Amino acid sequence: MALCYQFQLPVLPLDRPVPKHVLSRRGAISFSSSSSLFGCTNPRVLSQTFTNSSNLWIPSSGWEERFLERRGAISYESSDQTALYIRMLGDVRVRSRAGFQPERRDSHPYVDFRLLHLSPETGELASARKIRRLLSFQRYFRSTHLFRGVPSLNSLSVLDDNYNGQAMCMLEKDGNWNFDIFLFDRLTNGNSLVTLTFHLFKYHGLIEHFHLDSVKLRRFLVMVQEDYHRNNPYHNAVHAADVTQAMHCFLKETKLANSFSPWDVLLGLLAATTHDMDHPGVNQPFLIKTNHYLASLYKNTSVLENHHWRSAVCVLQESKLFSHLAVEEIYQMESQLGSLILATDITRQNEFLSQLRTHLDMSDLHLDDAGHRHFMLQIALKCADISNPCRPWELSKQWSEKVTQEFFHQGFITYVAKPLFVEWCRFSNTTLSQTMLGHLSLNNASWKGLLQEQSQGGDDTDFI
């Protein structure tokens, strides 16, 4: 059987089915099919696996055997050439450079394998956005091939295997409040949000319960991760991963775990993962004062949160993750997702805090009521979003240092975080809630000590 790549491959729609005789073979397309190809330790190795002969890209000697030995390798006969199709993260398609069309925002690129080993000096790559997309896929595939059991191609990937093994060990403690998301992000090669959220979907049984397509789920998560701005010191994908892990901890609390349905858990994790999508790194007052188009679009009301919600809905629709659900269910999901994300608007802090206090004072919070469960999901997301002061000092300090580069002031701890977590502790008086309050008090005292040293006993500590 011969393997070859046509120089002019036809453009295949994302929903084009792969021929059954291709999928029936052991070497058919699967998760691991392109991970090793994209995830070569050195992308230039790809240039050594092909020889250019007329209009065909034909594997050089020995490549076919090595390629077909891998489980999930892409194999096809001459009659299958129009079905060269990688059902992988984002439905990546192979296409010649001659047919490279402009990519619309937030969509996945058409991938020409030859582009992966072109030198930057060629000047033939389309745009910085496309380059970033390609590198993102390569980084994700490279960092996750061990999770899918793909053997290493050479000894240089041994270190990557070791790091991925450590990441898997960390996931065994996904519900630990001391979970170091910074370390996990390094171990996953910058893919903490994708790796953690996919793991949590499996942990909570959401993939089976809602009959989710794992390929679409991974595609959705990568699209979400890519929509976070890496240049943001704080509001980036690592923050989203941290909030998602905190939400997971809350969902495991006894009161919520015994009352929440799979639908509630699904909404909670989706909201945590997407709650800051496409955050520009500035706050709402800045957007309003600079007459930003988003401020005009949302009439100066919950500008960022509305944008995060709409961005999440767009990616959900583009990924077609829930396309198999009824229209009414999809509408309900999008609406409730918006309600959760809009609750993270810090200007509504007192509104939600007052409602929670009233419910607790009146002892009329009943989690068998769908409305009350949704309200507590809003509170849980708000707690997860600002949980940094409640983490151990080593983690809390790192987050504080990052957020100060955007808009953070330490008054956040006393006047925003503490009142909310005091009431959360009243609701869920468990070891975790007491631990969070303990960390918050210790971290507040530590900040005061640092500022006292810096100000030589001045009055600067008042703003904590």
Side-chain angles (χ1 to χ4, degrees):
M1 179 178 64
L3 290 174
C4 61
Y5 289 87
Q6 289 281 9
F7 183 73
Q8 293 286 348
L9 288 172
V11 181
L12 300 177
L14 291 180
D15 58 352
R16 175 162 183 168
V18 180
K20 293 182 179 179
H21 62 283
V22 175
L23 293 178
S24 64
R25 292 197 297 269
R26 183 176 183 273
I29 301 162
S30 72
F31 272 114
S32 58
S33 59
S34 58
S35 62
S36 296
L37 190 55
F38 278 87
C40 285
T41 306
N42 181 3
R44 294 182 183 273
V45 171
L46 291 174
S47 63
Q48 302 170 6
T49 65
F50 296 97
T51 58
N52 190 358
S53 175
S54 182
N55 290 336
L56 297 178
W57 283 86
I58 304 174
S60 60
S61 176
W63 184 83
E64 177 180 350
E65 180 181 356
R66 184 168 67 253
F67 193 71
L68 291 178
E69 283 179 352
R70 294 201 301 272
R71 182 181 181 276
I74 303 172
S75 62
Y76 58 96
E77 299 175 352
S78 59
S79 60
D80 305 331
Q81 290 183 16
T82 57
L84 177 57
Y85 201 79
I86 305 177
R87 292 294 297 179
M88 187 53 206
L89 188 63
D91 286 329
V92 183
R93 288 178 285 178
V94 182
R95 188 174 183 175
S96 68
R97 191 183 311 126
F100 216 107
Q101 295 179 351
E103 170 200 7
R104 61 191 177 91
R105 184 178 181 274
D106 292 332
S107 65
H108 289 278
Y110 301 117
V111 178
D112 182 343
F113 290 150
R114 291 166 292 166
L115 292 178
L116 296 180
H117 61 269
L118 286 178
S119 62
E121 293 76 13
T122 61
E124 298 182 13
L125 294 180
S127 67
R129 179 71 170 175
K130 292 189 182 69
I131 296 173
R132 189 161 70 85
R133 284 284 189 178
L134 290 171
L135 294 179
S136 173
F137 277 108
Q138 183 183 9
R139 185 181 71 249
Y140 178 74
F141 296 147
R142 184 176 176 181
S143 66
T144 57
H145 73 274
L146 183 64
F147 285 82
R148 298 189 291 272
V150 180
S152 304
L153 293 181
N154 54 55
S155 59
L156 294 179
S157 61
V158 171
L159 185 59
D160 288 334
D161 293 349
N162 183 45
Y163 271 68
N164 283 319
Q166 295 180 55
M168 292 181 69
C169 289
M170 287 192 68
L171 287 177
E172 295 177 359
K173 300 180 179 179
D174 50 31
N176 193 323
W177 189 248
N178 298 336
F179 192 91
D180 189 340
I181 197 64
F182 298 109
L183 173 60
F184 187 72
D185 191 63
R186 292 193 295 272
L187 294 177
T188 56
N189 199 18
N191 290 286
S192 55
L193 183 58
V194 174
T195 307
L196 176 65
T197 308
F198 189 88
H199 165 78
L200 294 180
F201 266 64
K202 292 173 60 179
Y203 176 91
H204 289 281
L206 300 178
I207 297 178
E208 294 78 11
H209 184 86
F210 292 99
H211 307 290
L212 301 181
D213 185 328
S214 295
V215 175
K216 290 182 179 180
L217 177 57
R218 286 188 182 274
R219 181 192 184 200
F220 165 73
L221 293 175
V222 168
M223 292 169 73
V224 170
Q225 181 172 273
E226 282 300 299
D227 231 25
Y228 281 92
H229 299 191
R230 292 196 189 94
N231 293 331
N232 286 351
Y234 182 83
H235 288 104
N236 51 40
V238 182
H239 166 65
D242 185 62
V243 172
T244 303
Q245 193 272 335
M247 173 62 81
H248 170 59
C249 291
F250 298 155
L251 292 174
K252 293 181 65 177
E253 289 284 79
T254 303
K255 283 189 176 181
L256 299 187
N258 292 340
S259 304
F260 277 10
S261 65
W263 180 267
D264 299 320
V265 175
L266 175 67
L267 281 174
L269 292 180
L270 282 178
T273 302
T274 63
H275 81 284
D276 271 337
M277 281 183 63
D278 201 33
H279 196 294
V282 295
N283 58 15
Q284 177 171 292
F286 180 90
L287 295 177
I288 294 175
K289 291 179 181 179
T290 57
N291 296 317
H292 195 275
Y293 78 92
L294 287 177
S296 301
L297 179 64
Y298 297 112
K299 304 183 185 305
N300 299 342
T301 303
S302 298
V303 176
L304 289 171
E305 290 72 27
N306 270 298
H307 181 56
H308 304 326
W309 170 33
R310 298 302 181 186
S311 298
V313 170
C314 288
V315 173
L316 276 173
Q317 293 178 352
E318 184 175 349
S319 67
K320 298 182 180 179
L321 179 60
F322 297 104
S323 60
H324 59 289
L325 298 183
V327 175
E328 295 77 11
E329 290 181 303
I330 296 176
Y331 176 79
Q332 182 183 13
M333 175 181 295
E334 293 176 352
S335 177
Q336 293 185 353
L337 184 63
S339 176
L340 292 174
I341 294 178
L342 288 173
T344 62
D345 185 351
I346 202 67
T347 63
R348 301 181 63 191
Q349 179 77 1
N350 290 334
E351 171 192 340
F352 281 95
L353 186 58
S354 176
Q355 290 183 42
L356 179 59
R357 282 174 173 165
T358 299
H359 278 305
L360 295 176
D361 290 342
M362 300 292 293
S363 299
D364 62 352
L365 196 61
H366 305 293
L367 295 183
D368 55 345
D369 180 270
H372 286 185
R373 290 201 306 274
H374 185 75
F375 174 72
M376 288 313 302
L377 260 185
Q378 291 176 312
I379 297 298
L381 181 60
K382 289 178 66 64
C383 287
D385 190 25
I386 61 172
S387 63
N388 304 149
C390 299
R391 297 281 189 177
W393 169 249
E394 294 77 11
L395 301 176
S396 179
K397 185 173 183 293
Q398 289 185 69
W399 282 120
S400 296
E401 290 170 346
K402 291 178 180 297
V403 80
T404 52
Q405 300 178 47
E406 292 184 11
F407 61 83
F408 189 88
H409 296 288
Q410 294 307 317
F412 174 86
I413 294 181
T414 298
Y415 302 112
V416 177
K418 186 175 181 179
L420 180 61
F421 282 99
V422 167
E423 300 306 321
W424 175 266
C425 189
R426 286 181 61 194
F427 164 74
S428 179
N429 188 18
T430 62
T431 301
L432 174 60
S433 59
Q434 294 291 344
T435 299
M436 291 191 298
L437 280 182
H439 283 318
L440 188 146
S441 298
L442 290 174
N443 293 336
N444 198 33
S446 298
W447 279 118
K448 286 184 177 180
L450 287 177
L451 291 174
Q452 285 175 349
E453 293 177 3
Q454 295 174 0
S455 61
Q456 296 181 348
D459 295 329
D460 292 345
T461 56
D462 293 340
F463 70 91
I464 297 183

